[in-house]
């Protein structure tokens, strides 16, 4: 990785007003909350988030600015792909005012997006986690199969059928991709292969039937590897020193296979106790090697939290996500994006915790009160406390 480079991360949310709810596009929120700057293989990066954009020309202007940055460019697109109702079969990314009748004029033609990205001189990667409705689906599928969705640009991602009701949770592909990026790989060097991360995300994610997998090109050195050790200079051998006895030479640590695919495969197959036991064992290893307050140990708390959610144990998942959020707030402060992402996940699991929710509410409220501009979230917790105050056993 060239540590002198400056890159750009562009987050484009293509969700029309008709699909927006109290929490518009949770997939876009998850990406923004994960601190996307840290995933770029560059010393520094601009992060530009484009939510609720109106007008394709405005989006195109941001695209053209982004491609002028010579370093790595990561573009993450979420939202809805649509096809005009008449006289066109070209996919468009829906924008704020788009409908099936108006998307030809109010949406962003997909070809505009790929054409702009082809003009970028540095490493480029287009990540897509989008939906397509029944009318658009055959045309989007044809464009995926004949290469028009890639458009000559390195791309990874999925397109899934639009559900009848907007989801309150981020897309499974994005969650798996972000988990893989967060963990990294100790043997991969300073950058990660997008194809490998894409394949890993597909194997981990519980995607709906009939999804389209998008994969083209390599993307170059775009994604940073958080697990890669920092470069160090090799020490010079001592002059005329005799080699130490064999018994005193520590064996080099064996490179372990990434355990997350096996753990998540067990969870998705319904073997939740097995998955939890494996994650707990790896957490103990991280604690021994790196200490209880290390990022490595913190990541395994988050993995265990997600495993608890997959097992349907939302109260336990909420507790673990709150623990992760508390640790991140202690280290990064109230403005830490990863702390906020963990706290949002804790809040989601708390909302699904049933009778246990009132018992967990005070701890969750205390965390939200440490975060600025969290009045709405804190009010949600207080309202639940007023509705069903926790009981105290004597």
């Amino acid at each position: 990785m060239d540590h002198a480079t400056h890159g750009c991360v562009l987050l484009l949310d293509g969700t029309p007003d008709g699909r927006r709810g109290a929490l518009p596009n949770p997939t876009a929120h998850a990406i923004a909350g994960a601190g996307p700057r840290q995933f770029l293989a560059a010393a520094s990066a601009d992060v530009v988030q484009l939510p609720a954009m109106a007008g394709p020309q405005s989006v195109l202007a941001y695209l053209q600015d982004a491609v002028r940055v010579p370093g790595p460019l990561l573009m993450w697109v979420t939202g809805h792909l649509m096809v005009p109702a008449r006289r066109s079969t070209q996919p468009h990314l829906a924008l704020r005012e788009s409908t099936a009748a108006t998307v030809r004029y109010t949406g962003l033609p997909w070809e505009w997006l790929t054409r702009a990205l082809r003009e970028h001189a540095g490493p480029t990667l287009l990540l897509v986690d989008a939906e397509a409705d029944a009318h658009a689906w055959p045309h989007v599928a044809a464009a995926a199969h004949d290469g028009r969705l890639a458009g000559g640009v390195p791309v990874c991602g999925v397109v899934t059928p639009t559900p009848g009701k907007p989801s309150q949770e981020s897309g499974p592909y994005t969650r798996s991709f972000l988990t893989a990026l967060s963990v990294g790989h100790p043997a991969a060097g300073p950058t990660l292969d997008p194809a490998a991360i894409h394949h890993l995300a597909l194997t981990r994610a519980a995607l709906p039937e009939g999804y389209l997998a998008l994969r083209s090109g390599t993307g170059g050195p775009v994604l940073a590897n958080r697990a890669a050790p920092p470069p160090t200079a090799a020490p010079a051998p001592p002059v005329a020193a005799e080699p130490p006895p064999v018994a005193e030479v520590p064996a080099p640590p064996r490179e372990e296979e990434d355990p997350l695919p096996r753990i998540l495969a067990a969870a998705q197959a319904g073997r939740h106790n097995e998955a939890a036991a494996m994650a707990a064992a790896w957490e103990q290893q991280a604690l021994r090697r790196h200490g209880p307050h290390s990022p490595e140990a913190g990541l395994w708390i988050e993995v265990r939290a997600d495993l608890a959610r997959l097992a349907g144990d939302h109260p336990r998942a909420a507790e673990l996500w709150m623990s992760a959020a508390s640790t991140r707030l202690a280290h990064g402060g109230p403005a830490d994006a990863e702390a906020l992402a963990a706290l949002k996940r804790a809040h989601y699991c708390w909302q699904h915790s049933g009778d246990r929710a009132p018992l967990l509410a005070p701890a969750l409220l205390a965390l939200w009160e440490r975060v600025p501009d969290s009045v709405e979230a804190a009010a949600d917790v207080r309202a639940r406390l007023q509705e069903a105050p926790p009981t105290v056993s004597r």
Side-chain angles (χ1 to χ4, degrees), residues 12-14 56 59-60 63 75-84 88-95 103-104 106-118 125-132 139-140 142-159 214-216:
L12 176 54
D13 173 12
V59 178
L60 184 61
L63 276 170
M75 180 160 191
W76 210 316
V77 177
T78 63
H80 294 258
L81 296 177
M82 302 176 71
V83 169
S88 176
T89 61
Q90 299 303 313
H92 288 57
L93 181 68
L95 300 179
V103 70
R104 184 178 182 186
T106 60
L108 176 71
W110 193 260
E111 195 275 333
W112 287 18
L113 186 153
T114 55
R115 182 175 60 197
L117 292 179
R118 285 197 302 270
L125 180 62
L126 171 61
L127 281 168
V128 180
D129 192 349
E131 300 172 350
H139 306 292
V140 171
H145 292 145
D146 65 21
R148 282 179 290 132
L149 276 189
V153 175
V155 60
C156 293
V158 295
V159 181
L214 309 179
R215 175 75 192 101
S216 174

Side-chain angles (χ1 to χ4, degrees), residues 39-42 72-75 122-125 191-192 194 218-224:
F39 298 137
L40 205 65
L73 171 60
L74 172 61
M75 180 160 191
T124 307
L125 180 62
T191 61
L192 293 171
T218 61
V222 178
L223 302 176

Side-chain angles (χ1 to χ4, degrees), residues 56-393:
Q57 294 293 347
S58 298
V59 178
L60 184 61
Y62 280 102
L63 276 170
Q64 291 169 338
D65 283 341
V67 299
R68 293 190 186 103
V69 179
L73 171 60
L74 172 61
M75 180 160 191
W76 210 316
V77 177
T78 63
H80 294 258
L81 296 177
M82 302 176 71
V83 169
R86 300 179 183 177
R87 294 184 296 178
S88 176
T89 61
Q90 299 303 313
H92 288 57
L93 181 68
L95 300 179
R96 187 177 68 199
E97 300 170 353
S98 297
T99 65
T102 66
V103 70
R104 184 178 182 186
Y105 309 102
T106 60
L108 176 71
W110 193 260
E111 195 275 333
W112 287 18
L113 186 153
T114 55
R115 182 175 60 197
L117 292 179
R118 285 197 302 270
E119 296 175 1
H120 183 236
T124 307
L125 180 62
L126 171 61
L127 281 168
V128 180
D129 192 349
E131 300 172 350
D133 60 24
H135 169 71
W137 188 264
H139 306 292
V140 171
H145 292 145
D146 65 21
R148 282 179 290 132
L149 276 189
V153 175
V155 60
C156 293
V158 295
V159 181
T160 56
T162 300
K165 183 179 179 181
S167 174
Q168 295 184 350
E169 192 173 16
S170 58
Y173 176 84
T174 289
R175 293 199 305 271
S176 296
F177 205 101
L178 288 174
T179 298
L181 287 178
S182 297
V183 175
H185 197 288
T191 61
L192 293 171
D193 178 10
I197 301 297
H198 170 70
H199 176 73
L200 200 56
L202 289 180
T203 59
R204 294 175 179 175
L207 291 163
E209 292 185 6
Y211 72 89
L212 294 172
L214 309 179
R215 175 75 192 101
S216 174
T218 61
V222 178
L223 302 176
N225 184 11
R226 295 181 65 186
T232 56
V239 178
E242 293 189 6
V246 173
E248 298 180 16
V249 179
R254 182 173 59 89
E255 293 292 350
E256 298 285 355
E257 181 185 359
D258 183 2
L260 277 176
R262 292 188 294 111
I263 293 172
L264 290 174
Q268 291 166 0
R271 304 194 307 274
H272 298 294
N273 290 338
E274 177 186 339
M278 286 192 289
W282 278 91
E283 181 185 15
Q284 289 302 313
Q285 183 168 315
L287 288 170
R288 288 193 299 270
R289 290 183 177 179
H290 306 287
H293 304 297
S294 64
E296 292 81 1
L299 284 173
W300 281 107
I301 293 176
E302 296 179 359
V303 170
R304 289 173 54 219
D306 215 31
L307 290 176
R309 180 189 61 81
L310 289 172
D313 189 351
H314 287 92
R316 180 57 177 159
E319 290 175 333
L320 289 167
W321 278 120
M322 283 192 284
S323 175
S326 178
T327 300
R328 289 190 180 278
L329 284 170
H331 286 84
D336 183 80
E338 291 187 346
L340 181 59
L343 192 48
K344 286 180 178 179
R345 294 184 177 103
H347 195 106
Y348 170 84
C349 294
W350 169 78
Q351 288 176 321
H352 294 76
S353 293
D355 294 341
R356 292 279 303 281
L359 298 173
L360 299 171
L364 181 62
L365 179 60
L367 289 172
W368 275 122
E369 288 176 341
R370 295 167 60 182
V371 177
D373 301 324
S374 61
V375 176
E376 186 175 347
D380 182 37
V381 181
R382 291 192 187 97
R384 182 62 178 269
L385 275 172
Q386 292 174 358
E387 292 173 2
T391 59
V392 179
S393 59

